[in-house]
């Protein structure tokens, strides 16, 4: 492993601190008397829970609003703090609301290790409710702290869920599922939050190698030499300026029994995007370019959950990992790269590198004859400009695959919005010297990037997620903790779970 000695990275530097945190959380359905804070859901309609010993008027006078996302902590001389937790209208409470409600409770009690949340409600799907509550409570408490000498927050250790009128078995099943999907997101966050010097392409490949046997998938790592043999000219071209080797990481999940279908997942893994010879200016946005591997992180995170979520499809993943650096050996504007399969690509901008690493993987996925491809990439600033930091851009060539992603998006509250794959703009990618160029015109940058990918996809059912906007959040936002969001990890897991031929 190549590591800069000047950073003095200790040998025991925790690669996945969030995973350690998550594995320290216990979710129980029978209170053990150890709760330091007791949250009680207060709906807009119906009675205020008696345990609060407060009337609705008193709560209102104290400034409490029973909307989802609002809380009021009532300290007491002894016993656990009481927390009124806004739950909105009973009829409106869905998984998204439950996740948000649990997140607000979890944040309100962020100095407490052992917390209990009681919701007096008739749940149509108690396991689903328990899953959403677990996800919200755990993900809200995520923090990336291994490089801080002191940490203020306390890790969550016990979450006790009191869902009245729900069977313990349902609560336990949902909580287990919630911890599995939260694991996918937490691993994706850890990877994207890690500074670029602490996480090279070689490092992420080694991490994948360790995760595979633990969570039930196979890992094959391709180094520079292997990539030359495969003819992955895109990944190799982008890597050319770097002192670090590239890595392509192939992940394979096979379910017990006959697979229902075969899904391909491809993630952009630019460990740091300087722009290369088309160097980016040093504005604060470029502090975020350590997260340019957010797509690869989401795919790897999702893989850690496939077995435990009992996904019935075969899933194959490709993480396309390198940094994009300027140097005397960099690929240049005007260079022509040869993709796996022989397509020639004129490089008109070395900062449009994501599509170049993705193209090789798309060709490889097609060679494996997957039934559908979903790719995920922090691909364009244009996606961020168009949809902002809350919603990812979605493109596709197939209604069924696009719908699969939209439904997974709704269930996981990872919002997407479909943009048109406008064929009229395809001519912007024409090249005078090669089969295609990597740069479109001034407008619709997210679309021309998607059109570039679609050239390699061909007829395979395909959906593309541009997560440049959603990869991070500046401030805590419900269960999204400041920093990398892990966007896409839970969505991809859900899509894989629902995938059928
Ligand atoms: N990684 C960036 C896209 C990005 C921008 C991600 C902002 C997150 C936040 C990508 O590699 C890039 O540089 N795209 C260029 C493409 C352009 C040169 C055609 C862009 O969007 O400006
Ligand atoms: Mn770039
Ligand atoms: Zn990039």
């Amino acid at each position: 492993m190549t590591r800069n000695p000047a950073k003095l990275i200790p040998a025991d530097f925790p690669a996945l601190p969030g995973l350690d945190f998550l594995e320290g959380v216990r979710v129980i359905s029978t209170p053990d008397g150890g709760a330091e804070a007791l949250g009680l859901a207060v709906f807009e309609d119906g009675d205020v829970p008696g345990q609060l010993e407060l009337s609705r008027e008193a709560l209102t006078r104290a400034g409490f609003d029973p909307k989802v996302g609002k809380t009021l902590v009532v300290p007491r001389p002894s016993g656990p703090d009481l927390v009124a937790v806004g739950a909105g209208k009973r009829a409106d409470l869905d998984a998204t609301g439950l996740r948000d409600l649990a997140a607000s409770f979890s944040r309100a009690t962020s100095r407490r290790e052992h917390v209990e949340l009681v919701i007096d409600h008739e749940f149509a799907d108690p396991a689903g409710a328990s899953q959403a509550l677990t996800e919200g409570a755990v993900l809200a408490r995520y923090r990336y702290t291994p490089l801080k000498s002191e940490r203020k927050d306390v890790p969550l250790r016990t979450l006790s869920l009191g869902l009245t009128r729900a069977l313990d078995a349902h609560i336990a099943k949902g909580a287990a599922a919630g911890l599995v999907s939260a694991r996918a997101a937490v691993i994706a966050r850890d990877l994207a939050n890690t500074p670029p010097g602490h996480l090279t392409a070689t490092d992420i490949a080694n991490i994948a190698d360790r995760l595979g046997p633990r969570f039930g998938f196979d890992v094959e790592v391709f180094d520079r030499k292997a990539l030359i043999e495969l003819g992955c000219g895109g990944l190799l071209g982008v890597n050319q300026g770097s002192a670090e080797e590239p890595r392509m990481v192939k992940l394979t999940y096979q379910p017990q029994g006959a697979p229902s279908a075969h899904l391909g997942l491809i993630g952009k893994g630019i460990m740091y995007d300087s722009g290369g010879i088309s160097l980016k200016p040093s504005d604060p946005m470029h502090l975020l370019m350590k997260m340019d591997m957010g797509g690869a992180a989401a795919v790897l995170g999702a893989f850690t959950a496939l077995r435990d979520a009992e996904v019935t499809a075969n899933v194959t993943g490709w993480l396309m990992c390198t940094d994009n650096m300027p140097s005397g050996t960099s690929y240049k504007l005007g260079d022509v790269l040869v993709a796996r399969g022989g397509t020639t690509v004129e490089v008109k901008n070395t900062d449009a590198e994501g599509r170049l690493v993705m193209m090789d993987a798309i060709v490889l996925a097609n060679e494996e004859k997957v039934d559908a491809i979903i790719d995920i990439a922090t691909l364009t600033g244009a996606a961020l400009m168009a949809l902002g930091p809350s919603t990812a851009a979605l493109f596709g060539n197939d209604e069924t695959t696009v719908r699969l992603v939209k439904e997974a998006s709704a269930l996981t509250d990872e919002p997407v919005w479909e943009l048109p794959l406008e064929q009229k703009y395809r001519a912007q990618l024409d090249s005078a010297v090669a089969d295609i160029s990597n740069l479109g015109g001034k407008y619709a940058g997210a679309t021309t990037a998607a059109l570039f990918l679609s050239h390699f996809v061909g007829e395979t059912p395909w959906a593309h997620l541009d997560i440049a906007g959603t990869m991070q959040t500046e401030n805590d936002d419900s269960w999204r903790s400041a920093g990398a969001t892990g966007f896409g990890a839970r969505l991809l897991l859900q899509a894989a779970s629902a995938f059928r031929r």
Side-chain angles (χ1 to χ4, degrees), residues 37-42 48 52 54-67 69-76 80-87 101 104-109:
L38 171 62
L40 297 156
V42 180
V48 169
L52 265 177
L54 289 168
S55 66
R56 192 170 284 277
E57 292 66 41
L59 280 172
T60 307
R61 273 200 307 276
F64 175 70
D65 177 349
K67 280 199 188 64
K70 307 287 186 182
T71 55
L72 177 73
V73 180
V74 186
R76 298 190 300 175
D81 302 335
L82 289 182
V83 186
V85 182
L101 170 163
S104 66
F105 168 61
S106 197
R107 287 202 191 287
T109 55

Side-chain angles (χ1 to χ4, degrees), residues 268 270 273 275 278 280 285-286 288-289 291-292 324 349-355 378-384 438-441 445 448 466-469 471:
K268 169 175 170 180
I270 299 298
D273 183 9
S278 310
K280 288 178 184 293
M285 173 60 78
H286 302 120
L288 302 178
M289 286 306 140
M291 296 186 191
D292 209 18
N324 181 24
N349 189 317
T350 64
D351 199 12
E353 84 297 337
R355 60 198 78 180
T378 49
L379 205 60
T380 67
L384 169 62
N438 77 332
L439 188 64
T448 49
D466 190 333
I467 59 164
M471 67 181 187

Side-chain angles (χ1 to χ4, degrees), residues 251-271:
L251 313 173
T252 310
Y253 165 76
Q254 287 175 307
Q256 302 276 323
S260 53
H262 188 184
L263 177 65
L265 299 178
I266 301 173
K268 169 175 170 180
I270 299 298
M271 311 311 293

Side-chain angles (χ1 to χ4, degrees), residues 429-441:
L429 298 170
D430 287 349
S431 162
V433 301
D435 298 334
I436 191 169
S437 100
N438 77 332
L439 188 64

